[in-house]
Every structure is written in C-alpha cells, then in structure tokens.
Amino acid sequence: MTSVSIVERGGGPPQRRRRGGGGFSHVLPALVLLLLVFVLPVLLLLLRSVTEPALGLQNYAELVESATYGRVFLNTFLVSAVVTAITVVIGYPIAWLLVILPRRWADLLFGIIILSMWTNLLARTYAWMVLLQRTGVINKTLIGLGIIDEPLTLVNNLVGVTIGMTYIMLPFIILPLVTTMRGIEPDLLRAAALCGAGRLDAFRRVLLPLSLPGIAAGGLMTFVMSLGYFVTPSLLGGTSNMMAAELIAQLIQSLLNWGMGGAAAFALLVLTLALYALQLRLFRRAQAGRA
C-alpha cells in the first residue's frame, strides 16, 4: 500500500496528502541499524572512558597533561595535514590528465590507479619498506646519481610514514577531483583564452575555483582517513613515532587499559568532528563569497 494518495479537490489540480506515520516507519529500520552500528559503540566507548578504572574524568586529565600523549596526537595531525597537502599537489595534475587524455589512455591510467587502490594494504606497505630501506632502490639510485653520499634513513620515522601514506591516499583525492573536473565546461576555458587569459590566469581564475569542491571533498576524506590509519604508521614509523591509532591499539590490546584507550579514541573522534565542522563552515563561506 502506498503512503501517498492523490485527492481531487473541486476543480483544481490534484493535491498530494501524506498518510500519517507511513514515512517514518519506512526509515525506522535504517535508523535502528545506524544507532546499533555507529552510535551505540561510541556511547559504550565513552562510558568505559569515564568509569574505568574509577568513575571520573581522570583518563581525560591524564590525556591532557601527559607530554607523551600530546606528542602522539601532534604527530597524528601533523602527518595527516602534510599527507593531505602533498596528495592535493600530486593528485591535482593527475586528475586533470585523466580528464584531458584520449579515452583509451585515460582508461589505462585510471585502471592503474584503481589497481593500486585494490591491492592489499599490507602488501603495499611492505613494498615501501623494501624500497625505503638503507639498501633499497631509492637510496641506491640517489647514491648512483651522486646526489647523496650516505644512505638516507627513510623508515622508522615520520618521513617513511608520510611517503607511504601519501601513496596509499592518492586515489582518494584523485577520484573526487576527476568527478568535479569532468563537470567543468571546456567552453569556459576556451572563453577565458579568447578573452586574453594566459594558461596560468585561466587555471587560477577559472579551473581552480570550479574544482574547489573536489579539492575540499578529497582533502577532507584524505585527512580524516589519515587520522585513523594504523597499518602503515606502525610498520614504517616505528615505536618512537607513534600515531593515535597505534596508541589506542596498544592501550587496549597490550596494556588492557580500556579506560585510557576509550578516552584517547573519544578525544580523537571529537577533534576530527570539530575539524570537519570547521572545514564545512569555511567551505560554505567561501562558496557564498563567490556566489
């Protein structure tokens, strides 16, 4: 039975009348599923963070006062911001190339990007461990070209984490950028050229502003995913350059400190949501300013 009926009133046009409660009952199973899968675990995590080992906010106080935890969170947000910036710089020309290339070559390049994204994450991280080690291909190449005399230390530090995560996150910024760029009318760039704009002016005043939604979407996705990444930082970063996901895993799995682990996880969630809200507000303000 449909929840909407068409009622004829007098000689006027047909009007739609909604039967009470029908719409809500349709979405109720989805709401219950969302509450069980997303909201309930967060609430349970919050509950354990304020009840273990005793009722109170001592876990959050320790989280704020401890220099170690502060350094871990600083590493997390710093690496995530750097990875996001580098992926935008590298991903933007690749996305534009995918838009302007002939269909056959664009499909080939797109397939390579998708294939790299589908490859097992652990395999990709181990591959970077081999490439970045002191006797790896990168160091041997740099020494062979005479650029460096001694091998660089590219693993067990934040440099290795940044390189590995940049490679892994690239597809997540390229795909939304390609979608946005394919929606830009080529005639706009031709019109800019006819009006005397050079390539740099056409990029700065036409292409870049119109592709900002793709940059914002891809950048936000990359940043948020980087905040919670575990495998790549744990393998390429080492114990002295821990990130938040490693800290939470160690607190819960190794130390069985559910209270402190819950506090760290909830703090990371709150900071992520706050940054997400700030980014949305700034983006909407920028969009309103251009309108």
Side-chain angles (χ1 to χ4, degrees):
M1 179 181 296
T2 177
S3 62
V4 177
S5 64
I6 300 176
V7 179
E8 296 285 344
R9 292 185 178 179
Q15 298 181 11
R16 292 177 181 274
R17 185 177 64 188
R18 188 177 296 278
R19 292 178 179 172
F24 181 74
S25 64
H26 290 167
V27 300
L28 184 59
L31 289 176
V32 172
L33 182 64
L34 287 174
L35 289 174
L36 289 176
V37 174
F38 293 105
V39 179
L40 184 60
V42 174
L43 292 178
L44 292 176
L45 194 67
L46 175 63
L47 184 64
R48 298 193 76 159
S49 70
V50 295
T51 57
E52 297 185 16
L55 184 63
L57 298 176
Q58 65 276 359
N59 290 321
Y60 291 94
E62 184 179 349
L63 198 65
V64 173
E65 295 169 357
S66 170
T68 302
Y69 294 143
R71 188 172 63 252
V72 170
F73 274 80
L74 179 63
N75 286 344
T76 304
F77 282 89
L78 179 64
V79 170
S80 299
V82 172
V83 167
T84 303
I86 297 176
T87 51
V88 170
V89 172
I90 298 176
Y92 195 94
I94 296 176
W96 182 240
L97 194 63
L98 281 167
V99 173
I100 63 175
L101 274 177
R103 184 63 180 269
R104 183 177 60 178
W105 293 107
D107 288 345
L108 178 62
L109 181 57
F110 192 78
I112 293 172
I113 294 170
I114 293 296
L115 186 63
S116 73
M117 191 170 67
W118 287 345
T119 305
N120 183 275
L121 175 63
L122 202 57
R124 284 182 286 169
T125 304
Y126 277 126
W128 275 108
M129 288 180 68
V130 173
L131 292 172
L132 295 175
Q133 61 185 334
R134 292 178 67 85
T135 57
V137 174
I138 293 177
N139 269 318
K140 284 184 176 178
T141 302
L142 294 175
I143 292 174
L145 294 173
I147 298 175
I148 57 175
D149 297 324
E150 296 290 332
L152 300 174
T153 305
L154 299 176
V155 290
N156 295 324
N157 54 32
L158 293 182
V159 175
V161 174
T162 303
I163 294 173
M165 287 183 64
T166 298
Y167 166 74
I168 290 168
M169 291 296 172
L170 264 178
F172 296 99
I173 195 132
I174 291 175
L175 297 181
L177 271 172
V178 169
T179 303
T180 302
M181 288 176 174
R182 282 180 174 164
I184 299 174
E185 288 291 337
D187 289 343
L188 293 174
L189 297 175
R190 297 192 191 101
L194 290 174
C195 291
R199 290 186 178 181
L200 184 59
D201 278 339
F203 167 75
R204 185 172 59 86
R205 304 181 69 173
V206 179
L207 181 60
L208 183 60
L210 292 176
S211 57
L212 275 181
I215 296 176
L220 180 64
M221 189 190 309
T222 302
F223 184 76
V224 171
M225 290 179 66
S226 298
L227 289 177
Y229 243 67
F230 173 73
V231 174
T232 305
S234 64
L235 292 178
L236 293 176
T239 56
S240 59
N241 299 289
M242 191 177 290
M243 290 179 65
E246 299 173 77
L247 171 68
I248 295 167
Q250 191 175 75
L251 285 170
I252 292 177
Q253 293 177 353
S254 301
L255 304 177
L256 300 179
N257 189 347
W258 280 89
M260 200 64 213
F266 194 72
L268 182 62
L269 175 64
V270 170
L271 288 172
T272 303
L273 292 177
L275 288 173
Y276 175 66
L278 177 64
Q279 190 268 350
L280 279 184
R281 185 170 182 177
L282 292 176
F283 179 70
R284 286 173 180 167
R285 183 176 296 178
Q287 290 285 82
R290 288 198 302 272

